[in-house]
Amino acid sequence: MDAYAGGYKSHLCPKIPPSPALTPDTQGRFNWRTVKSHHPIEQYSQLPSGKPSPRPSVQYNFKSVPKESNERIDSRRDAVREVFKRCWNNYRERAWTKDELGPISGGAKDTFGSWGATLVDSLDTLWIMDLKQEFAEAIDAATKIDFGPKIDGEINVFETIIRYLGGFLGAYDVSGCHDARLLNKAIEVADLAYAAFDTPNRMPVSRWNPKKAVFGEEQLPAESMLIAEAASASVEFTRLSQLTGDMRYFDAISRVTNVLDEQQASTKLPGMWPISVNMRKPDLTFDGFFGLGAMADSAYEYLPKMYQLLNGLGPATQYQKMYEYAMSTAITHTMFRPMTHDKADILIASGNVNGERESKGQHLVCFAGGMFALGGRLFENTTHINVGRKLSNGCAWTYKNAPNGIMPEVFSMTACSTLSVCEYTAPAGSSPFSEVGDGRYVLRPEAIESMLYMYRITGESKYQDIAWGMFEAVSNLTRTEFGNAAISNVMKTPVETYDSMESFWLAETLKYFYLIFSDPSEISLDEFVLNTEAHPFRIPHR
Ligand SMILES: *[C@@H]1O[C@H](CO)[C@@H](O)[C@H](O)[C@H]1NC(C)=O
Ligand SMILES: *[C@@H]1O[C@H](CO)[C@@H](O)[C@H](O)[C@H]1NC(C)=O
């Protein structure tokens, strides 16, 4: 496709936000800006301007390593691409513009607003895997999606932001900001999501009814909301303000950040925010359940990513301060070293309930290894890089020692009494888990995500080898007639699959696998920030 020639080298993305701000071209579709605001804002917070100071690079200096012939790595990358292509072709033939393909039934399902979740979520992966024809075709279809108030019932605003808004922004950024249709589409979804922030205290409604909003009915933020859903639009909304010059989005998430900042020291585990928060008051201090994993994850993950996206300028230091405080609490109160037969020096990120550290692990929290390594690089803290390494190695260890080479969704282990030394060693041949609370593997990306960060940050090729082991196990055991399917219990042999292939399999899992076997300059972590759905956003000024 000629329109996409030029690729990475000649991007047209703005270095500074456009002024005056861009207005959307909705091409006759519903325009969410026409819905009257109940609680208009007089003055918007502005993105910081100025020249960023030089920062240490995130990625290892791969240039210092002589380039060897990489046939083995290339063939691994090709194997990943083949798995992606097979899934994509079946999605295209059997579930085109639906949210998901059923990988066993070969049918189509709508699970995330019925706007074509897999279609939008996969756009930037198509570009990255050099499937340019498919990319062009997918954009044509995605441009026709109608984000108007057709849905009766509530939508999950968080999922809409990370998958759809993230998907359009990632596709726009990776393809060099050449195709204005993608930015227009991003604005269209963002204006829908932005309407969910129209509340008395400007905190978002996380489960929100678009039809009610259009009929002028007021909706309030929930008195019990997940912290991840309350606090995870920052990276997407900030990138959109950078690309459009429209500060409404950045303003919206700044208000949420300020609430988190104000209450960070008053929670039951000062430094961290609990899983459940009251955004109507707002009061973030009543719940006693804490952790970096499910239902909280991206609220923490986005703190260092915001610092990086803002180039260290202005409120970036607020995000740094919040992150460092949160992580020092997380290290002390939510992690444990498990007892293993081989005395592995690893860490597992867990939870803390009413002051007691749990000794549970979850697949979802495996992103934390990558986050600690990234934050350690951005804020020059070697302790954090080491914690990132041990957490990532903990996930790698769990994969390797699980009976079929895949970590279960939720499990418990026996904890050592400290993070550094262990007085007891589990006997050889004993199960790595004291209990498996949820044996599924739902094609999740977090473990491979951390392997990619560790490889890019340390330059150690062992992470590519670990990744290949994960890929072999996952691709073999989940393969079905039409794609790849979730496993109902990874502890049982032979494993059984069920008819689910969530959009993150193509958006995240296979993208991370592909990138770890690609040249490290592809989607460099010094040029891009990846949102929590693995959509790469370009860092301005670079
Ligand atoms: C690095 O992080 C640790 C743990 O959070 C903290 O105690 C230490 O002060 C930090 N070091 C620097 C140089 O910021
Ligand atoms: C996966 O399948 C390939 C090819 O069929 C085989 O060579 C490899 O050993 C399998 N890996 C695992 C972990 O089962």
Side-chain angles (χ1 to χ4, degrees), residues 281-445:
K281 262 188 170 166
D283 175 6
L284 287 61
T285 64
F286 63 87
D287 181 33
F289 180 23
F290 297 82
L292 296 178
M295 303 173 285
D297 44 18
S298 40
Y300 296 102
E301 172 192 347
Y302 276 10
L303 299 173
K305 290 184 172 179
M306 278 299 289
Y307 176 90
Q308 199 182 13
L309 191 59
L310 293 171
N311 264 309
L313 295 168
T317 48
Q318 178 187 18
Y319 287 94
Q320 172 176 4
K321 183 197 70 178
M322 290 164 72
Y323 178 71
E324 288 176 336
Y325 187 10
M327 291 310 115
S328 87
T329 302
I331 294 171
T332 321
H333 296 285
T334 68
M335 293 177 191
F336 69 95
R337 176 177 173 169
M339 289 180 186
T340 67
H341 63 84
D342 56 356
K343 303 187 183 177
D345 188 9
I346 54 177
L347 290 176
I348 303 289
S350 187
N352 188 299
V353 183
N354 300 323
E356 293 282 326
R357 194 207 53 214
E358 295 186 303
S359 47
K360 279 188 185 159
Q362 353 165 310
H363 196 288
L364 261 165
V365 83
C366 280
F367 83 94
M371 173 184 71
F372 268 97
L374 174 68
R377 264 298 212 268
L378 292 173
F379 308 130
E380 299 179 81
N381 188 320
T382 45
T383 306
H384 283 199
I385 294 182
N386 286 334
V387 169
R389 178 188 293 277
K390 286 188 187 186
L391 287 172
S392 303
N393 292 350
C395 292
W397 188 95
T398 312
Y399 261 72
K400 191 155 181 279
N401 287 276
N404 291 294
I406 304 178
M407 172 195 273
E409 181 85 347
V410 179
F411 54 87
S412 301
M413 289 168 126
T414 309
C416 307
S417 56
T418 75
L419 297 187
S420 48
V421 287
C422 203
E423 59 293 325
Y424 160 85
T425 302
S430 60
S431 165
F433 311 115
S434 53
E435 198 190 319
V436 175
D438 183 347
R440 288 175 306 151
Y441 171 66
V442 301
L443 304 172
R444 284 198 190 286

Side-chain angles (χ1 to χ4, degrees), residues 469 472-473 476:
E472 281 202 313
N476 285 6

Side-chain angles (χ1 to χ4, degrees), residues 54 59 113 122 144 172 201 215 267 287 338 356 381 446 489 506:
Q59 292 211 149
S122 304
K144 301 196 180 82
Y172 185 63
N201 62 13
F215 291 138
T267 67
D287 181 33
E356 293 282 326
N381 188 320
E446 295 81 13
N489 186 358
L506 301 182

Side-chain angles (χ1 to χ4, degrees), residues 62-74 455 459-462 464-465 519:
F62 286 92
K63 288 196 196 77
S64 65
V65 200
K67 245 202 181 126
E68 15 161 346
S69 116
N70 256 344
E71 268 172 50
R72 196 170 50 109
I73 300 293
D74 288 351
Y455 170 62
E460 290 170 28
S461 60
K462 84 167 192 198
Q464 291 179 307
D465 296 331
D519 191 277

